[in-house]
Every structure is written in C-alpha cells, then in structure tokens.
Amino acid sequence: MTRKRLGLALSAAALALAAGFLPGAALAQGKVLKFVSWQKDERGVGDWWGSVIKEFEATHPGVKIEWTKVERGAYADTMTTLFAGGKPPDIVHLASFEFQKFADNGWLEPLDAYIKEAKFDLKGWAGQDTCTWNKQTVCTMMLYFGYIFAYNEELLKKEGLEVPKTYAEFLAAAQKLTKDINGDGIVDQFGTGHETKGGGGQYMSEMMNYTLDAGGRWTNDAGKVTINTPEMIEGLSRWKTIVKTSLTPRDLPAGEVRQMFADGKIALKMDGPWLWPIIQKGKAKDQIKLGMVPFKPPVGGSSNVLGIAADAPKDNKKLVWDFIALATSDKFQSSYATLGASPPPSPRADTSAASKDTPHFDLLVQATKAAADAKVDRIPKGLELQFNEFAKMVMEESQRMIIQDLDPKTVAATMQSKAEALQKQ
C-alpha cells in the first residue's frame, strides 16, 4: 500500500468501525453478505434497494444481507479503509466517479465471465461504457441521467418570448429576462441559473451545457485531452458570457439557485430529475413547464455502480452476482422507475406505471437516452483517476477567466497544458 493510501485508510478507520464492521457484527448463523450504501435511508431509491434485498433473501434461503449505511461525505474514505484492510463488503456499491481508484487497485472483480455465462444483455444499457476499466467490465451502472429544461412560462409570455430551441434563442431570452424588477438598481430576476460556488464537479457540469452544444469535449474517446480546440473555446466563451454579464446569479450553491428558480426569480433552468420535487414546493410551481434542453446533446452523467469485491470468498462472489442479476432484471429495473422516480438504465424496463405516477417521466427517459446515445458523462475518459484534481483546475481557470476577463483561447491553452500534466502524474 502506498503511503497516501495508508493515510486514507488510517484516517477513516474510525468511520468504518462506526459503520458497524466490528468483530461479531455478522449474524451468528447462516451465510451473510455485507452491503454498504449511502442510499439506505433515501426516499424512493432506498425503498427499492430494500425490495431487492427482500426478494434476494426469499429466493436464497439461509443467506442474509447485512445492509449498512455510511454517509456520502465519509463514504470513499470508509470504503478505502475496508478494502485496504482486507475486509471489503461483498456487494460493492460506489459512486461512478470513485470506483475507478478501486478498480485500479485490483479491488473489483472482473464481471465479463459472469456476464457471458448468464447471457446478460447490456446492449443499450445507459452509461455502461463507464464501467469498463483496463478493458474489463468491473461494475454495472445503476443510474444514468440526462438534463431536462425547466422554464417559467409566465415570465416568457410577459416578454413575448417563445420557448428557446437553440443557444442563440436561449441567450437572447436570458438577456431579456434578466432585469431589475423593482427599480432599485439591483438585478432581482435572472434569465438563467447556474451554481458558481461549490465543488469543481458541479461547476464543470454547469459549464458542460455550453461546451457540449458547441461540440467540445474535455477528452476524446481515446482519453486524449481536447480542450484547446475551436469547439471548446466557443463553449468557454459562451460560459463566460452567461456568468460575466450576470445572466445567472453568482457565488451561490446549487440548492439556493434551484430554490430561486422554484420561486420565480430565475426564468430558465437546465438540471437533472431532482429539480422536480424542488419545483413542487416553490412559489412559482404553477408557472413552470418542462421540456427538452435547447442544447444538443444534453448534459448527462452516470451516478452509481454495483460490483463484486475481488477479495470476497468464491462462494460469496456467486451470490453477489445473483444479487446483481436480480437488481438488473427487467422486473426490478421496472420497479426502480416507479419507486425511484428516475429512468432506469435498462432499455427493457417497463416504465408505463412510472409514466402514470410522474407526468414528465417520458421526458426524463428521452433526455437520458439522448445523453447516453451521445456518450456524455461528467467524468472525462483518461482523467478518471485525476477527476477531482481536474475538476478543481477547470473551475479555478474558468473563474480566473471571468474575474480577470481573460481570452477563452488563452484559458483553453492553459487548461490543456494542466490537464496533460495531470495525466502524467
């Protein structure tokens, strides 16, 4: 173990103990599979996991799943401790932006043989390409989402505007909708809204609305950095225009921006499926409509994955695969749509019930498919292991571009150089 990994392991040891991994924590009788997740208490998706576990235990007499919650903020360190200490959970649940380091350490079991033997069809499975590491499948994608477009129809009508269908129309609408409503000299209604304060990953996601529509990508399919290109320069220019001219409120976290939109203080918003419940509690909920984003392709992203611990006992591995097969079955992918209120990754899932419960569900499916077909992800190929450092660099250089009024061409060249240096570390 490297000194860095050892430090992570020691720093998170107490967290692992607090998570319930104490001697004798397992049941005294019968086979026990350990499953750690941050989603245990989440409404909807937590209920879905519970239903999968119940079915698995019913169809595997004598086998119990020990389901433990670890908070998201402590999750990566806790899992690192468990794996580094040789005590990993049998069922491995990880965020899609963190599994790469576990796979690179050889901690995740390759799944290709299991997939082949089970004749498991992953064709069209949203975001599954992300689960390939060193030419091996090391996980199955459990959630992939696409951004949708929410707009305040009443505010658009007041200005005589149609719903934007292109970037040019979006920009013109955002400029017209950004105004001082009460005449005090301070802008109190914004054309659009983006998080510009917080982590690099979210900052990057916000920017990608513009870089993707301009045809830019952080890296190509081979993992080569492609930031210093005309397309990315155009995307950076668009982002600079939106932020520097204050068409979005600045220096606010995502939660506050979403609430401003829900309350009618922002007219146009591109976001994931989680925006809908926030809208329902906002003052402007009756004015807001949903549609496809005016940019192509929409921002999309993988969320979380399921795998098998490489160090798990052989008979446990087979049981874990049975659990994965159950969670990815047509039956449970269909129930995920209903309980989770999000499009499941399986193209075979029956989402008719979810469409009845969630009026805009078909739109979510359409957005997810559009992003997945374009192979959009927030995690650039070739920079998976350096993602946190890369995202922080992108945010810092973008903020410098806006504050110091730098030429996007210069910024793109700087980002290119720094990204290439990160790849060589």
Side-chain angles (χ1 to χ4, degrees):
M1 188 191 307
T2 66
R3 181 174 297 177
K4 181 178 180 181
R5 289 175 185 143
L6 178 60
L8 281 172
L10 292 174
S11 67
L15 295 171
L17 294 176
F21 291 91
L22 292 167
L27 300 177
Q29 296 179 346
K31 174 73 71 176
V32 177
L33 299 180
K34 293 182 179 179
F35 175 33
V36 183
S37 175
W38 66 93
Q39 294 181 331
K40 184 175 181 180
D41 297 333
E42 289 187 16
R43 184 178 178 181
V45 68
D47 298 324
W48 178 79
W49 281 118
S51 69
V52 177
I53 291 172
K54 183 179 180 180
E55 175 98 353
F56 178 85
E57 292 179 341
T59 55
H60 294 75
V63 181
K64 296 293 181 183
I65 292 181
E66 185 182 272
W67 189 18
T68 307
K69 178 180 178 178
V70 173
E71 295 294 340
R72 182 62 245 172
Y75 202 80
D77 283 352
T78 300
M79 293 292 275
T80 298
T81 296
L82 296 173
F83 275 91
K87 300 291 184 181
D90 304 282
I91 303 170
V92 182
H93 190 209
L94 293 166
S96 60
F97 56 80
E98 68 192 4
F99 85 85
Q100 294 86 355
K101 291 184 178 180
F102 290 80
D104 202 54
N105 278 330
W107 289 343
L108 299 182
E109 176 86 352
L111 301 181
D112 295 289
Y114 297 89
I115 292 170
K116 183 177 180 181
E117 182 179 352
K119 297 180 180 179
F120 184 28
D121 184 9
L122 286 170
K123 184 179 180 181
W125 197 274
Q128 183 59 30
D129 288 349
T130 302
C131 277
T132 300
W133 190 256
N134 290 334
K135 299 181 179 180
Q136 293 181 313
T137 304
V138 295
C139 57
T140 53
M141 186 61 60
M142 299 309 295
L143 175 61
Y144 180 94
F145 62 86
Y147 273 18
I148 55 174
F149 184 45
Y151 56 92
N152 191 306
E153 187 176 50
E154 185 173 311
L155 294 182
L156 285 170
K157 286 182 176 179
K158 281 183 179 179
E159 300 297 333
L161 295 168
E162 298 292 331
V163 179
K165 294 289 192 284
T166 65
Y167 168 71
E169 292 177 359
F170 176 88
L171 177 60
Q175 289 171 333
K176 197 168 185 179
L177 288 161
T178 299
K179 56 176 54 183
D180 170 16
I181 300 296
N182 57 17
D184 64 357
I186 300 173
V187 173
D188 39 31
Q189 176 183 292
F190 295 88
T192 190
H194 295 290
E195 176 184 10
T196 54
K197 178 182 180 180
Q202 181 62 31
Y203 192 97
M204 269 183 58
S205 295
E206 303 283 4
M207 289 182 62
M208 284 173 63
N209 286 290
Y210 304 95
T211 58
L212 285 170
D213 186 63
R217 299 282 178 127
W218 305 111
T219 62
N220 62 18
D221 290 341
K224 181 180 178 181
V225 180
T226 53
I227 302 175
N228 195 16
T229 62
E231 294 81 6
M232 280 298 295
I233 292 169
E234 170 62 20
L236 290 172
S237 297
R238 293 181 182 185
W239 176 249
K240 180 181 177 182
T241 296
I242 295 293
V243 180
K244 189 168 182 61
T245 60
S246 296
L247 302 183
T248 173
R250 296 169 68 170
D251 299 322
L252 292 180
E256 291 187 31
V257 175
R258 289 168 181 146
Q259 193 59 55
M260 285 181 66
F261 174 74
D263 288 339
K265 296 178 180 179
I266 292 173
L268 312 170
K269 184 84 177 84
M270 295 164 286
D271 214 331
W274 47 81
L275 181 63
W276 180 249
I278 299 173
I279 292 172
Q280 296 311 296
K281 295 180 180 179
K283 297 176 182 178
K285 67 176 183 177
D286 296 331
Q287 304 169 19
I288 295 173
K289 306 296 182 183
L290 302 179
M292 286 292 286
V293 297
F295 306 153
K296 295 181 181 179
V299 172
S302 52
S303 175
N304 61 96
V305 304
L306 208 54
I308 303 173
D311 287 344
K314 186 176 181 180
D315 54 344
N316 284 23
K317 290 180 181 179
K318 178 61 172 66
L319 289 168
V320 175
W321 173 253
D322 287 350
F323 181 83
I324 293 175
L326 187 65
T328 54
S329 66
D330 291 353
K331 172 183 176 179
F332 278 97
Q333 285 293 289
S334 299
S335 67
Y336 181 87
T338 305
L339 289 174
S342 292
S346 173
R348 299 181 300 277
D350 180 359
T351 61
S352 56
S355 296
K356 292 179 181 179
D357 293 342
T358 306
H360 63 283
F361 193 86
D362 291 344
L363 174 64
L364 296 177
V365 173
Q366 184 182 356
T368 297
K369 187 177 186 303
D373 287 349
K375 296 184 178 180
V376 176
D377 205 343
R378 298 167 297 171
I379 308 166
K381 285 190 176 181
L383 285 164
E384 296 92 343
L385 295 178
Q386 303 87 4
F387 176 71
N388 288 336
E389 295 88 346
F390 173 71
K392 182 180 178 182
M393 179 274 291
V394 168
M395 179 177 69
E396 290 175 346
E397 294 304 323
S398 299
Q399 290 174 331
R400 188 174 292 113
M401 171 180 68
I402 293 162
I403 295 169
Q404 298 180 11
D405 196 21
L406 301 178
D407 188 335
K409 291 183 179 179
T410 302
V411 176
T414 300
M415 287 184 178
Q416 176 85 19
S417 177
K418 291 191 173 184
E420 290 174 343
L422 281 173
Q423 281 188 325
K424 295 175 182 178
Q425 290 182 359

